[in-house]
Amino acid sequence: MSTSRSVDLVGRDDELSALVSQLGISSFPGTSRAVLLAGDAGVGKTRLLTELRDVAVEAGWLVLAGHCLDLAEGSMPYLPFTEILGRVLTERPEVAASVIERHPTLARLAPGRRLQVSEDRDEAQSLDRGNVFAAVHDLFEAVGQSAPLLVVVEDTHWADQSTRDMLSFLFARPFDGQVALVVSYRSDDLHRRHPLRPQVAEWARLRGVERIQVDPLDETQVRRLIHAMHTESPLAEASVAEIIDRAQGNAFFVEELVGVSWSTDGPIPSELADVLLVRLDRLDERTLEVVRAASVAGRRVSHTLLAAVTGLAPAELEAALRSAVESNVLEQTRGSAYRFRHALLGEAVYDDLLPGERVRLHTAFSAALQSGLARGPRPSWRSTPAGPATG
Ligand SMILES: Nc1ncnc2c1ncn2[C@@H]1O[C@H](COP(=O)(O)OP(=O)(O)OP(=O)(O)O)[C@@H](O)[C@H]1O
Ligand SMILES: [Mg+2]
């Protein structure tokens, strides 16, 4: 859980009190043993969990967090649990020692021991999963004897199979004593074939496991966030309105847009564009072609207009659109139309077009609209020096 805390928490009272009461932090036991905390990238999951940690520590809980990282599947099995075990070894060395004595396997998860595991393949294979699961369960129970324990596993959209299996085990087996779990993940990362997607559905059906959604901030909250970040020289109302419109309640986007001296008519900040464009990495070339065309249309584009502009055969266009929707890049809207799941992503894609590509697509849109071949709103992105004005 590392997130900047330059400004006070804005909003999130409902989510925080739901977490505190469900996990039994205010009065043990709560109604749930575990919470799945879902929300889009940058919406504020970590910030909320930082606040939860403070409340829990204040109430006498020990909070241990482990993070999943964006690594190749299986390259570092049980990674967040290694981080957590490392903390137990530091903070409760006697407890860790006695659990390791009962479950020698656990020692191999300890930070520093992992290298030896991967060097010795036979030994790695003998790291019996059942034993590791039971050992970690036992560890949490043992730590929970002296003080209530909150275990946080962050960013499980990046969890590998071993970590997901460990979590399934921990969710399914009750603890003796005060042990609660919170697991966060990016809901917009869970594309159709993402391995966590079916897993989350299964976990949410278990007794004692609840799902809490962190939604985008509302307009008043975004306004407060902007003002809190810009106390010295308040932004002009026009800039505030522009940021509210573009960030769509996403705290990270708000910070990025406020953080640069940003001309509302210019391209979006390059660091923000990089973060957004990562979402396109797993798309195939044809889907990318359709997504790029959609970016020229503005916030919403009809199916017929896209068909006219891309010139793709119906089946090809449908396959590409399906893939863009399943990857959470586009979403369907009313009247056989599509829009970017996040408007800023549309802008980033537009800014990323090659100059010739942009001219070609604008021309194709104009031609399709003028010929009456397709109806639709006129392309609405700003014009840029590299591209013609639309229409
Ligand atoms: N409610 C809030 N009040 C004030 N600042 C916030 C709030 N929510 C988020 N922030 C700030 O916005 C930024 C992004 O939030 P955070 O890191 O919590 O997002 P996240 O959902 O964890 O994103 P990711 O999926 O990338 O991990 C952080 O700098 C955080 O401090
Ligand atoms: Mg986070």
Side-chain angles (χ1 to χ4, degrees), residues 78-85 109 136 140 153 163 166-167 170:
Y78 308 112
L79 181 63
F81 298 97
T82 290
E83 188 181 346
I84 291 169
L85 175 58
L109 278 195
V136 169
F140 291 171
V153 180
T163 298
M166 172 75 82
L167 288 169
L170 297 173

Side-chain angles (χ1 to χ4, degrees), residues 7 134 153 156 174 325 383:
V7 301
V153 180
T156 52
V325 169
S383 57

Side-chain angles (χ1 to χ4, degrees), residues 2-3 42 44-47 49 154-155 157 184 186:
S2 56
T3 189
K45 302 176 295 298
T46 301
R47 186 69 180 78
L49 288 173
E154 273 253 68
D155 300 328
H157 48 278
S184 73
R186 288 181 178 167

